[in-house]
Amino acid sequence: MKKRVLSGIQPTGNIHIGNYIGAIRQWVDSQDKYDNIFCIVDLHAITVPIEPKQLKHTIRQLATLLFAAGITPEKSALFVQSHVSEHAEMAWIITCMTPWGWLHRMTQFKEKSSNAENFSVGLFAYPALMAADILLYDSDLVPVGEDQKQHLELTRDIAQRINALYGKDILKIPQAVIPEVGSRIMGLDDPTKKMSKSEDTANHAIHLLDTPDVIRRKIKRATTDSFREIRFNEERHGVNNLLTIYEAFTKMSRPDIESHFAGKGYGDLKKELTEVVIEGLRPLQTRYHELASDKKHVDLLLAEGADKVRATANRTLRRVHKTIGLG
Ligand code: AMP
Ligand code: TRP
């Protein structure tokens, strides 16, 4: 039996090459190894104010990008969280089984609520919904970034607490998988900061649907330094980042890359990197535009994805209902 991997992706912001290299491409590559479930978490997106048209558009765009990047419906289930109503129902039950203090400790909530004037109860309960996503499918592994580690620990604590309360192993305890170091792409404008979906300065990130001209402009303006040598060196953030992107797209070894650029200047590095990124994204972009030209097709694939997982979610929920005495 293959291990089940569950990934949740927020339909917010603009997907960039950091997301692609650090997450999406690895999901695509691991499809044969695991039983993968990819959930576009729109119910999480509404924990903060979001414009309806924008939300609807971002969900479709993200789904189309993921299919275009190589997530195949035959191998993986990709669906929208709100299409499987078991998520919301399980989240309520979990909310009732989670001590208030546990949620109150979450650092992401503290950060997000301190920046918002009038935050919702949903923002506070967010990790309980995430726990529901994971626990509904008896997930073995959950790949998450560093920032989500605390939510995963909480999910494990909640599952253990519910199992202990009812004296039964009704919920499977999942494990976090934190991607290995090196999968951190930095902002082009400020290479000391991680490339981020929420940063919207013009030259910060290369987005997956950027045209060749836009990619050319962004790389041209990328921050470097006043040295000359083109080498991997963590202390020289700008050049190191450009080389890391080059490495990720060409899959060449570091020594080969360094000898390839020996004696060349930053101008050459930027020019070659531009071509590598444009060509690297081209197949994905072509496929994206093909898929996007037939909106019904992506909707159909998403409906099939939801149909594929619904029975499992429902079975877990029934098990929980029965154990706790609902209905
Ligand atoms: P986020 O953009 O924070 O919602 O993250 C979505 C996925 O992309 C997560 O698996 C992250 O670990 C990954 N990711 C986000 N930003 C980067 C980055 N700059 N470099 C590498 N991976 C990233
Ligand atoms: N909270 C996660 C994030 O912001 C998204 C998410 C929701 C998730 N449900 C999940 C991630 C379940 C993994 C598993 O990135």
PDB file of all heavy atoms in Angstrom, residues 10-12 41-51 55 81 91 95 108-109 112-113 116-130 133 148 151:
ATOM      1  N   GLN A  10      -3.472  27.195  -0.625  1.00  0.00           N
ATOM      2  CA  GLN A  10      -4.408  28.325  -0.555  1.00  0.00           C
ATOM      3  C   GLN A  10      -4.575  28.989  -1.916  1.00  0.00           C
ATOM      4  O   GLN A  10      -3.586  29.300  -2.566  1.00  0.00           O
ATOM      5  CB  GLN A  10      -3.845  29.371   0.394  1.00  0.00           C
ATOM      6  CG  GLN A  10      -3.913  28.952   1.827  1.00  0.00           C
ATOM      7  CD  GLN A  10      -4.544  30.038   2.680  1.00  0.00           C
ATOM      8  OE1 GLN A  10      -5.565  30.636   2.319  1.00  0.00           O
ATOM      9  NE2 GLN A  10      -3.943  30.285   3.807  1.00  0.00           N
ATOM     10  N   PRO A  11      -5.823  29.236  -2.325  1.00  0.00           N
ATOM     11  CA  PRO A  11      -6.030  29.954  -3.589  1.00  0.00           C
ATOM     12  C   PRO A  11      -5.952  31.465  -3.361  1.00  0.00           C
ATOM     13  O   PRO A  11      -6.933  32.168  -3.505  1.00  0.00           O
ATOM     14  CB  PRO A  11      -7.440  29.520  -3.998  1.00  0.00           C
ATOM     15  CG  PRO A  11      -8.136  29.277  -2.695  1.00  0.00           C
ATOM     16  CD  PRO A  11      -7.088  28.837  -1.707  1.00  0.00           C
ATOM     17  N   THR A  12      -4.790  31.920  -2.977  1.00  0.00           N
ATOM     18  CA  THR A  12      -4.599  33.362  -2.789  1.00  0.00           C
ATOM     19  C   THR A  12      -3.258  33.712  -3.393  1.00  0.00           C
ATOM     20  O   THR A  12      -2.378  32.861  -3.492  1.00  0.00           O
ATOM     21  CB  THR A  12      -4.570  33.745  -1.291  1.00  0.00           C
ATOM     22  OG1 THR A  12      -3.704  32.844  -0.615  1.00  0.00           O
ATOM     23  CG2 THR A  12      -5.934  33.705  -0.657  1.00  0.00           C
ATOM     24  N   VAL A  41      -7.668  24.955  -0.863  1.00  0.00           N
ATOM     25  CA  VAL A  41      -8.398  25.242   0.366  1.00  0.00           C
ATOM     26  C   VAL A  41      -9.104  26.609   0.330  1.00  0.00           C
ATOM     27  O   VAL A  41      -8.700  27.555   0.977  1.00  0.00           O
ATOM     28  CB  VAL A  41      -7.496  25.088   1.618  1.00  0.00           C
ATOM     29  CG1 VAL A  41      -7.084  23.625   1.791  1.00  0.00           C
ATOM     30  CG2 VAL A  41      -6.231  25.948   1.550  1.00  0.00           C
ATOM     31  N   ASP A  42     -10.227  26.638  -0.391  1.00  0.00           N
ATOM     32  CA  ASP A  42     -10.963  27.911  -0.505  1.00  0.00           C
ATOM     33  C   ASP A  42     -11.649  28.314   0.808  1.00  0.00           C
ATOM     34  O   ASP A  42     -11.832  29.491   1.091  1.00  0.00           O
ATOM     35  CB  ASP A  42     -11.954  27.875  -1.685  1.00  0.00           C
ATOM     36  CG  ASP A  42     -12.942  26.713  -1.641  1.00  0.00           C
ATOM     37  OD1 ASP A  42     -12.741  25.765  -0.850  1.00  0.00           O
ATOM     38  OD2 ASP A  42     -13.920  26.748  -2.411  1.00  0.00           O
ATOM     39  N   LEU A  43     -12.011  27.325   1.642  1.00  0.00           N
ATOM     40  CA  LEU A  43     -12.621  27.684   2.932  1.00  0.00           C
ATOM     41  C   LEU A  43     -11.602  28.373   3.844  1.00  0.00           C
ATOM     42  O   LEU A  43     -11.972  29.189   4.682  1.00  0.00           O
ATOM     43  CB  LEU A  43     -13.189  26.431   3.620  1.00  0.00           C
ATOM     44  CG  LEU A  43     -14.349  25.733   2.909  1.00  0.00           C
ATOM     45  CD1 LEU A  43     -14.676  24.410   3.601  1.00  0.00           C
ATOM     46  CD2 LEU A  43     -15.591  26.620   2.894  1.00  0.00           C
ATOM     47  N   HIS A  44     -10.334  28.056   3.660  1.00  0.00           N
ATOM     48  CA  HIS A  44      -9.297  28.776   4.404  1.00  0.00           C
ATOM     49  C   HIS A  44      -9.139  30.200   3.870  1.00  0.00           C
ATOM     50  O   HIS A  44      -8.855  31.123   4.630  1.00  0.00           O
ATOM     51  CB  HIS A  44      -7.950  28.049   4.307  1.00  0.00           C
ATOM     52  CG  HIS A  44      -7.814  26.912   5.263  1.00  0.00           C
ATOM     53  ND1 HIS A  44      -7.907  25.598   4.884  1.00  0.00           N
ATOM     54  CD2 HIS A  44      -7.604  26.894   6.601  1.00  0.00           C
ATOM     55  CE1 HIS A  44      -7.763  24.824   5.937  1.00  0.00           C
ATOM     56  NE2 HIS A  44      -7.576  25.581   6.992  1.00  0.00           N
ATOM     57  N   ALA A  45      -9.326  30.341   2.555  1.00  0.00           N
ATOM     58  CA  ALA A  45      -9.124  31.663   1.946  1.00  0.00           C
ATOM     59  C   ALA A  45     -10.114  32.694   2.487  1.00  0.00           C
ATOM     60  O   ALA A  45      -9.794  33.882   2.564  1.00  0.00           O
ATOM     61  CB  ALA A  45      -9.229  31.562   0.425  1.00  0.00           C
ATOM     62  N   ILE A  46     -11.321  32.240   2.882  1.00  0.00           N
ATOM     63  CA  ILE A  46     -12.316  33.209   3.361  1.00  0.00           C
ATOM     64  C   ILE A  46     -12.161  33.557   4.848  1.00  0.00           C
ATOM     65  O   ILE A  46     -13.005  34.243   5.412  1.00  0.00           O
ATOM     66  CB  ILE A  46     -13.778  32.771   3.054  1.00  0.00           C
ATOM     67  CG1 ILE A  46     -14.124  31.454   3.758  1.00  0.00           C
ATOM     68  CG2 ILE A  46     -14.010  32.675   1.551  1.00  0.00           C
ATOM     69  CD1 ILE A  46     -15.635  31.184   3.811  1.00  0.00           C
ATOM     70  N   THR A  47     -11.085  33.083   5.478  1.00  0.00           N
ATOM     71  CA  THR A  47     -10.863  33.486   6.879  1.00  0.00           C
ATOM     72  C   THR A  47     -10.440  34.956   6.960  1.00  0.00           C
ATOM     73  O   THR A  47     -10.460  35.551   8.021  1.00  0.00           O
ATOM     74  CB  THR A  47      -9.794  32.611   7.573  1.00  0.00           C
ATOM     75  OG1 THR A  47      -8.589  32.660   6.793  1.00  0.00           O
ATOM     76  CG2 THR A  47     -10.255  31.183   7.715  1.00  0.00           C
ATOM     77  N   VAL A  48     -10.015  35.507   5.821  1.00  0.00           N
ATOM     78  CA  VAL A  48      -9.741  36.952   5.733  1.00  0.00           C
ATOM     79  C   VAL A  48     -10.588  37.495   4.580  1.00  0.00           C
ATOM     80  O   VAL A  48     -10.991  36.724   3.700  1.00  0.00           O
ATOM     81  CB  VAL A  48      -8.238  37.233   5.481  1.00  0.00           C
ATOM     82  CG1 VAL A  48      -7.389  36.848   6.679  1.00  0.00           C
ATOM     83  CG2 VAL A  48      -7.745  36.507   4.231  1.00  0.00           C
ATOM     84  N   PRO A  49     -10.896  38.807   4.571  1.00  0.00           N
ATOM     85  CA  PRO A  49     -11.765  39.331   3.514  1.00  0.00           C
ATOM     86  C   PRO A  49     -11.175  39.052   2.135  1.00  0.00           C
ATOM     87  O   PRO A  49      -9.972  39.222   1.929  1.00  0.00           O
ATOM     88  CB  PRO A  49     -11.780  40.842   3.779  1.00  0.00           C
ATOM     89  CG  PRO A  49     -11.353  40.999   5.195  1.00  0.00           C
ATOM     90  CD  PRO A  49     -10.454  39.852   5.505  1.00  0.00           C
ATOM     91  N   ILE A  50     -12.020  38.581   1.227  1.00  0.00           N
ATOM     92  CA  ILE A  50     -11.558  38.338  -0.145  1.00  0.00           C
ATOM     93  C   ILE A  50     -12.726  38.577  -1.096  1.00  0.00           C
ATOM     94  O   ILE A  50     -13.864  38.190  -0.816  1.00  0.00           O
ATOM     95  CB  ILE A  50     -10.917  36.928  -0.297  1.00  0.00           C
ATOM     96  CG1 ILE A  50     -10.402  36.716  -1.720  1.00  0.00           C
ATOM     97  CG2 ILE A  50     -11.852  35.809   0.117  1.00  0.00           C
ATOM     98  CD1 ILE A  50      -9.397  35.580  -1.860  1.00  0.00           C
ATOM     99  N   GLU A  51     -12.448  39.224  -2.191  1.00  0.00           N
ATOM    100  CA  GLU A  51     -13.463  39.604  -3.164  1.00  0.00           C
ATOM    101  C   GLU A  51     -13.957  38.340  -3.901  1.00  0.00           C
ATOM    102  O   GLU A  51     -13.135  37.537  -4.357  1.00  0.00           O
ATOM    103  CB  GLU A  51     -12.790  40.581  -4.136  1.00  0.00           C
ATOM    104  CG  GLU A  51     -13.661  41.698  -4.624  1.00  0.00           C
ATOM    105  CD  GLU A  51     -14.360  41.267  -5.886  1.00  0.00           C
ATOM    106  OE1 GLU A  51     -13.665  40.803  -6.806  1.00  0.00           O
ATOM    107  OE2 GLU A  51     -15.592  41.367  -5.910  1.00  0.00           O
ATOM    108  N   LEU A  55     -11.725  35.405  -5.744  1.00  0.00           N
ATOM    109  CA  LEU A  55     -11.585  34.058  -5.172  1.00  0.00           C
ATOM    110  C   LEU A  55     -11.901  33.004  -6.227  1.00  0.00           C
ATOM    111  O   LEU A  55     -11.141  32.067  -6.457  1.00  0.00           O
ATOM    112  CB  LEU A  55     -12.508  33.910  -3.949  1.00  0.00           C
ATOM    113  CG  LEU A  55     -12.522  32.535  -3.280  1.00  0.00           C
ATOM    114  CD1 LEU A  55     -11.139  32.104  -2.814  1.00  0.00           C
ATOM    115  CD2 LEU A  55     -13.486  32.513  -2.088  1.00  0.00           C
ATOM    116  N   GLN A  81     -11.756  22.269  -1.787  1.00  0.00           N
ATOM    117  CA  GLN A  81     -12.209  21.938  -0.424  1.00  0.00           C
ATOM    118  C   GLN A  81     -13.724  22.113  -0.234  1.00  0.00           C
ATOM    119  O   GLN A  81     -14.395  21.242   0.311  1.00  0.00           O
ATOM    120  CB  GLN A  81     -11.448  22.864   0.532  1.00  0.00           C
ATOM    121  CG  GLN A  81     -11.596  22.610   2.003  1.00  0.00           C
ATOM    122  CD  GLN A  81     -10.853  23.711   2.775  1.00  0.00           C
ATOM    123  OE1 GLN A  81     -10.786  24.857   2.332  1.00  0.00           O
ATOM    124  NE2 GLN A  81     -10.290  23.357   3.904  1.00  0.00           N
ATOM    125  N   ALA A  91     -14.594  20.032  10.543  1.00  0.00           N
ATOM    126  CA  ALA A  91     -13.934  21.170  11.196  1.00  0.00           C
ATOM    127  C   ALA A  91     -14.734  21.617  12.423  1.00  0.00           C
ATOM    128  O   ALA A  91     -14.162  21.949  13.463  1.00  0.00           O
ATOM    129  CB  ALA A  91     -13.755  22.323  10.221  1.00  0.00           C
ATOM    130  N   THR A  95     -13.400  21.681  16.140  1.00  0.00           N
ATOM    131  CA  THR A  95     -13.423  22.936  16.902  1.00  0.00           C
ATOM    132  C   THR A  95     -13.956  22.688  18.311  1.00  0.00           C
ATOM    133  O   THR A  95     -13.456  23.235  19.289  1.00  0.00           O
ATOM    134  CB  THR A  95     -14.323  23.971  16.173  1.00  0.00           C
ATOM    135  OG1 THR A  95     -13.854  24.109  14.847  1.00  0.00           O
ATOM    136  CG2 THR A  95     -14.278  25.326  16.837  1.00  0.00           C
ATOM    137  N   GLN A 108       0.782  31.893  13.881  1.00  0.00           N
ATOM    138  CA  GLN A 108       0.246  32.494  12.668  1.00  0.00           C
ATOM    139  C   GLN A 108      -1.009  33.329  12.981  1.00  0.00           C
ATOM    140  O   GLN A 108      -1.197  34.408  12.431  1.00  0.00           O
ATOM    141  CB  GLN A 108      -0.076  31.433  11.616  1.00  0.00           C
ATOM    142  CG  GLN A 108      -0.370  32.069  10.275  1.00  0.00           C
ATOM    143  CD  GLN A 108      -0.652  31.042   9.188  1.00  0.00           C
ATOM    144  OE1 GLN A 108      -1.697  30.419   9.155  1.00  0.00           O
ATOM    145  NE2 GLN A 108       0.299  30.857   8.311  1.00  0.00           N
ATOM    146  N   PHE A 109      -1.833  32.827  13.893  1.00  0.00           N
ATOM    147  CA  PHE A 109      -3.022  33.586  14.298  1.00  0.00           C
ATOM    148  C   PHE A 109      -2.611  34.900  14.968  1.00  0.00           C
ATOM    149  O   PHE A 109      -3.165  35.961  14.687  1.00  0.00           O
ATOM    150  CB  PHE A 109      -3.907  32.766  15.241  1.00  0.00           C
ATOM    151  CG  PHE A 109      -4.961  33.596  15.913  1.00  0.00           C
ATOM    152  CD1 PHE A 109      -6.041  34.093  15.179  1.00  0.00           C
ATOM    153  CD2 PHE A 109      -4.864  33.932  17.257  1.00  0.00           C
ATOM    154  CE1 PHE A 109      -6.997  34.903  15.777  1.00  0.00           C
ATOM    155  CE2 PHE A 109      -5.817  34.736  17.863  1.00  0.00           C
ATOM    156  CZ  PHE A 109      -6.883  35.227  17.120  1.00  0.00           C
ATOM    157  N   LYS A 112      -1.373  37.241  12.193  1.00  0.00           N
ATOM    158  CA  LYS A 112      -2.425  37.720  11.283  1.00  0.00           C
ATOM    159  C   LYS A 112      -3.445  38.593  11.999  1.00  0.00           C
ATOM    160  O   LYS A 112      -3.937  39.552  11.431  1.00  0.00           O
ATOM    161  CB  LYS A 112      -3.140  36.541  10.604  1.00  0.00           C
ATOM    162  CG  LYS A 112      -2.321  35.876   9.510  1.00  0.00           C
ATOM    163  CD  LYS A 112      -3.227  35.021   8.635  1.00  0.00           C
ATOM    164  CE  LYS A 112      -2.462  34.275   7.565  1.00  0.00           C
ATOM    165  NZ  LYS A 112      -3.304  33.337   6.834  1.00  0.00           N
ATOM    166  N   SER A 113      -3.780  38.235  13.246  1.00  0.00           N
ATOM    167  CA  SER A 113      -4.798  39.012  13.955  1.00  0.00           C
ATOM    168  C   SER A 113      -4.242  40.359  14.415  1.00  0.00           C
ATOM    169  O   SER A 113      -4.976  41.331  14.514  1.00  0.00           O
ATOM    170  CB  SER A 113      -5.367  38.223  15.135  1.00  0.00           C
ATOM    171  OG  SER A 113      -4.342  37.899  16.047  1.00  0.00           O
ATOM    172  N   ALA A 116      -4.770  42.760  11.577  1.00  0.00           N
ATOM    173  CA  ALA A 116      -6.113  43.019  11.072  1.00  0.00           C
ATOM    174  C   ALA A 116      -6.912  43.800  12.108  1.00  0.00           C
ATOM    175  O   ALA A 116      -6.726  43.620  13.314  1.00  0.00           O
ATOM    176  CB  ALA A 116      -6.803  41.695  10.783  1.00  0.00           C
ATOM    177  N   GLU A 117      -7.811  44.658  11.621  1.00  0.00           N
ATOM    178  CA  GLU A 117      -8.580  45.474  12.555  1.00  0.00           C
ATOM    179  C   GLU A 117      -9.710  44.682  13.190  1.00  0.00           C
ATOM    180  O   GLU A 117      -9.982  44.793  14.363  1.00  0.00           O
ATOM    181  CB  GLU A 117      -9.159  46.679  11.821  1.00  0.00           C
ATOM    182  CG  GLU A 117      -8.380  47.935  12.160  1.00  0.00           C
ATOM    183  CD  GLU A 117      -8.840  49.110  11.368  1.00  0.00           C
ATOM    184  OE1 GLU A 117     -10.060  49.211  11.125  1.00  0.00           O
ATOM    185  OE2 GLU A 117      -7.978  49.922  10.982  1.00  0.00           O
ATOM    186  N   ASN A 118     -10.375  43.901  12.375  1.00  0.00           N
ATOM    187  CA  ASN A 118     -11.568  43.243  12.843  1.00  0.00           C
ATOM    188  C   ASN A 118     -11.582  41.803  12.353  1.00  0.00           C
ATOM    189  O   ASN A 118     -12.340  41.443  11.474  1.00  0.00           O
ATOM    190  CB  ASN A 118     -12.775  44.004  12.262  1.00  0.00           C
ATOM    191  CG  ASN A 118     -13.939  43.963  13.213  1.00  0.00           C
ATOM    192  OD1 ASN A 118     -13.940  43.172  14.159  1.00  0.00           O
ATOM    193  ND2 ASN A 118     -14.933  44.785  12.952  1.00  0.00           N
ATOM    194  N   PHE A 119     -10.720  40.992  12.925  1.00  0.00           N
ATOM    195  CA  PHE A 119     -10.566  39.641  12.379  1.00  0.00           C
ATOM    196  C   PHE A 119     -11.723  38.728  12.784  1.00  0.00           C
ATOM    197  O   PHE A 119     -12.401  38.974  13.773  1.00  0.00           O
ATOM    198  CB  PHE A 119      -9.219  39.045  12.793  1.00  0.00           C
ATOM    199  CG  PHE A 119      -9.002  38.993  14.274  1.00  0.00           C
ATOM    200  CD1 PHE A 119      -9.474  37.917  15.014  1.00  0.00           C
ATOM    201  CD2 PHE A 119      -8.342  40.015  14.927  1.00  0.00           C
ATOM    202  CE1 PHE A 119      -9.287  37.864  16.373  1.00  0.00           C
ATOM    203  CE2 PHE A 119      -8.155  39.966  16.303  1.00  0.00           C
ATOM    204  CZ  PHE A 119      -8.635  38.892  17.027  1.00  0.00           C
ATOM    205  N   SER A 120     -11.899  37.676  12.008  1.00  0.00           N
ATOM    206  CA  SER A 120     -13.058  36.795  12.197  1.00  0.00           C
ATOM    207  C   SER A 120     -12.753  35.644  13.153  1.00  0.00           C
ATOM    208  O   SER A 120     -11.585  35.320  13.412  1.00  0.00           O
ATOM    209  CB  SER A 120     -13.469  36.214  10.844  1.00  0.00           C
ATOM    210  OG  SER A 120     -12.455  35.330  10.390  1.00  0.00           O
ATOM    211  N   VAL A 121     -13.814  35.005  13.626  1.00  0.00           N
ATOM    212  CA  VAL A 121     -13.668  33.784  14.426  1.00  0.00           C
ATOM    213  C   VAL A 121     -13.018  32.704  13.551  1.00  0.00           C
ATOM    214  O   VAL A 121     -12.264  31.865  14.025  1.00  0.00           O
ATOM    215  CB  VAL A 121     -15.054  33.311  14.946  1.00  0.00           C
ATOM    216  CG1 VAL A 121     -14.941  31.988  15.690  1.00  0.00           C
ATOM    217  CG2 VAL A 121     -15.676  34.365  15.833  1.00  0.00           C
ATOM    218  N   GLY A 122     -13.319  32.764  12.242  1.00  0.00           N
ATOM    219  CA  GLY A 122     -12.738  31.804  11.295  1.00  0.00           C
ATOM    220  C   GLY A 122     -11.217  31.855  11.272  1.00  0.00           C
ATOM    221  O   GLY A 122     -10.560  30.818  11.161  1.00  0.00           O
ATOM    222  N   LEU A 123     -10.663  33.048  11.397  1.00  0.00           N
ATOM    223  CA  LEU A 123      -9.205  33.171  11.390  1.00  0.00           C
ATOM    224  C   LEU A 123      -8.617  32.444  12.602  1.00  0.00           C
ATOM    225  O   LEU A 123      -7.576  31.799  12.523  1.00  0.00           O
ATOM    226  CB  LEU A 123      -8.791  34.651  11.411  1.00  0.00           C
ATOM    227  CG  LEU A 123      -7.294  34.897  11.232  1.00  0.00           C
ATOM    228  CD1 LEU A 123      -6.839  34.536   9.819  1.00  0.00           C
ATOM    229  CD2 LEU A 123      -6.938  36.350  11.532  1.00  0.00           C
ATOM    230  N   PHE A 124      -9.357  32.532  13.712  1.00  0.00           N
ATOM    231  CA  PHE A 124      -8.927  31.859  14.950  1.00  0.00           C
ATOM    232  C   PHE A 124      -9.039  30.334  14.799  1.00  0.00           C
ATOM    233  O   PHE A 124      -8.156  29.578  15.207  1.00  0.00           O
ATOM    234  CB  PHE A 124      -9.817  32.358  16.092  1.00  0.00           C
ATOM    235  CG  PHE A 124      -9.470  31.787  17.427  1.00  0.00           C
ATOM    236  CD1 PHE A 124      -8.287  32.140  18.058  1.00  0.00           C
ATOM    237  CD2 PHE A 124     -10.332  30.897  18.059  1.00  0.00           C
ATOM    238  CE1 PHE A 124      -7.961  31.610  19.297  1.00  0.00           C
ATOM    239  CE2 PHE A 124     -10.016  30.369  19.295  1.00  0.00           C
ATOM    240  CZ  PHE A 124      -8.827  30.723  19.919  1.00  0.00           C
ATOM    241  N   ALA A 125     -10.136  29.894  14.156  1.00  0.00           N
ATOM    242  CA  ALA A 125     -10.403  28.453  14.035  1.00  0.00           C
ATOM    243  C   ALA A 125      -9.674  27.807  12.845  1.00  0.00           C
ATOM    244  O   ALA A 125      -9.739  26.587  12.676  1.00  0.00           O
ATOM    245  CB  ALA A 125     -11.909  28.229  13.905  1.00  0.00           C
ATOM    246  N   TYR A 126      -9.013  28.608  12.052  1.00  0.00           N
ATOM    247  CA  TYR A 126      -8.303  28.146  10.847  1.00  0.00           C
ATOM    248  C   TYR A 126      -7.564  26.811  11.031  1.00  0.00           C
ATOM    249  O   TYR A 126      -7.723  25.884  10.235  1.00  0.00           O
ATOM    250  CB  TYR A 126      -7.347  29.290  10.438  1.00  0.00           C
ATOM    251  CG  TYR A 126      -6.445  29.092   9.263  1.00  0.00           C
ATOM    252  CD1 TYR A 126      -6.593  29.854   8.104  1.00  0.00           C
ATOM    253  CD2 TYR A 126      -5.388  28.178   9.296  1.00  0.00           C
ATOM    254  CE1 TYR A 126      -5.729  29.712   7.025  1.00  0.00           C
ATOM    255  CE2 TYR A 126      -4.531  28.027   8.219  1.00  0.00           C
ATOM    256  CZ  TYR A 126      -4.703  28.797   7.090  1.00  0.00           C
ATOM    257  OH  TYR A 126      -3.858  28.640   6.034  1.00  0.00           O
ATOM    258  N   PRO A 127      -6.749  26.656  12.105  1.00  0.00           N
ATOM    259  CA  PRO A 127      -6.000  25.393  12.239  1.00  0.00           C
ATOM    260  C   PRO A 127      -6.900  24.184  12.464  1.00  0.00           C
ATOM    261  O   PRO A 127      -6.502  23.054  12.150  1.00  0.00           O
ATOM    262  CB  PRO A 127      -5.106  25.632  13.455  1.00  0.00           C
ATOM    263  CG  PRO A 127      -5.076  27.108  13.659  1.00  0.00           C
ATOM    264  CD  PRO A 127      -6.395  27.619  13.176  1.00  0.00           C
ATOM    265  N   ALA A 128      -8.111  24.390  12.999  1.00  0.00           N
ATOM    266  CA  ALA A 128      -9.023  23.260  13.204  1.00  0.00           C
ATOM    267  C   ALA A 128      -9.536  22.765  11.846  1.00  0.00           C
ATOM    268  O   ALA A 128      -9.725  21.565  11.633  1.00  0.00           O
ATOM    269  CB  ALA A 128     -10.184  23.674  14.092  1.00  0.00           C
ATOM    270  N   LEU A 129      -9.744  23.704  10.918  1.00  0.00           N
ATOM    271  CA  LEU A 129     -10.154  23.320   9.561  1.00  0.00           C
ATOM    272  C   LEU A 129      -9.014  22.580   8.861  1.00  0.00           C
ATOM    273  O   LEU A 129      -9.230  21.586   8.174  1.00  0.00           O
ATOM    274  CB  LEU A 129     -10.569  24.575   8.771  1.00  0.00           C
ATOM    275  CG  LEU A 129     -10.946  24.399   7.308  1.00  0.00           C
ATOM    276  CD1 LEU A 129     -12.126  23.442   7.137  1.00  0.00           C
ATOM    277  CD2 LEU A 129     -11.273  25.757   6.662  1.00  0.00           C
ATOM    278  N   MET A 130      -7.803  23.048   9.088  1.00  0.00           N
ATOM    279  CA  MET A 130      -6.645  22.374   8.487  1.00  0.00           C
ATOM    280  C   MET A 130      -6.508  20.960   9.049  1.00  0.00           C
ATOM    281  O   MET A 130      -6.225  20.002   8.312  1.00  0.00           O
ATOM    282  CB  MET A 130      -5.388  23.205   8.760  1.00  0.00           C
ATOM    283  CG  MET A 130      -4.128  22.591   8.215  1.00  0.00           C
ATOM    284  SD  MET A 130      -2.804  23.833   8.131  1.00  0.00           S
ATOM    285  CE  MET A 130      -1.386  22.740   7.979  1.00  0.00           C
ATOM    286  N   ASP A 133      -8.964  18.767   7.257  1.00  0.00           N
ATOM    287  CA  ASP A 133      -8.489  18.394   5.915  1.00  0.00           C
ATOM    288  C   ASP A 133      -7.614  17.142   5.998  1.00  0.00           C
ATOM    289  O   ASP A 133      -7.721  16.223   5.192  1.00  0.00           O
ATOM    290  CB  ASP A 133      -7.609  19.502   5.307  1.00  0.00           C
ATOM    291  CG  ASP A 133      -8.335  20.827   5.133  1.00  0.00           C
ATOM    292  OD1 ASP A 133      -9.573  20.809   5.087  1.00  0.00           O
ATOM    293  OD2 ASP A 133      -7.640  21.869   5.042  1.00  0.00           O
ATOM    294  N   GLN A 148       4.141  26.191   8.678  1.00  0.00           N
ATOM    295  CA  GLN A 148       2.945  25.396   8.993  1.00  0.00           C
ATOM    296  C   GLN A 148       3.221  24.257   9.976  1.00  0.00           C
ATOM    297  O   GLN A 148       2.342  23.457  10.295  1.00  0.00           O
ATOM    298  CB  GLN A 148       2.351  24.804   7.711  1.00  0.00           C
ATOM    299  CG  GLN A 148       1.858  25.842   6.722  1.00  0.00           C
ATOM    300  CD  GLN A 148       0.717  26.661   7.291  1.00  0.00           C
ATOM    301  OE1 GLN A 148      -0.205  26.139   7.904  1.00  0.00           O
ATOM    302  NE2 GLN A 148       0.794  27.972   7.125  1.00  0.00           N
ATOM    303  N   HIS A 151       0.992  24.171  13.021  1.00  0.00           N
ATOM    304  CA  HIS A 151      -0.364  23.693  12.740  1.00  0.00           C
ATOM    305  C   HIS A 151      -0.397  22.168  12.637  1.00  0.00           C
ATOM    306  O   HIS A 151      -1.387  21.531  12.984  1.00  0.00           O
ATOM    307  CB  HIS A 151      -0.898  24.312  11.441  1.00  0.00           C
ATOM    308  CG  HIS A 151      -1.199  25.778  11.571  1.00  0.00           C
ATOM    309  ND1 HIS A 151      -1.333  26.605  10.485  1.00  0.00           N
ATOM    310  CD2 HIS A 151      -1.399  26.547  12.659  1.00  0.00           C
ATOM    311  CE1 HIS A 151      -1.611  27.827  10.905  1.00  0.00           C
ATOM    312  NE2 HIS A 151      -1.652  27.824  12.219  1.00  0.00           N
TER     313      HIS A 151
END
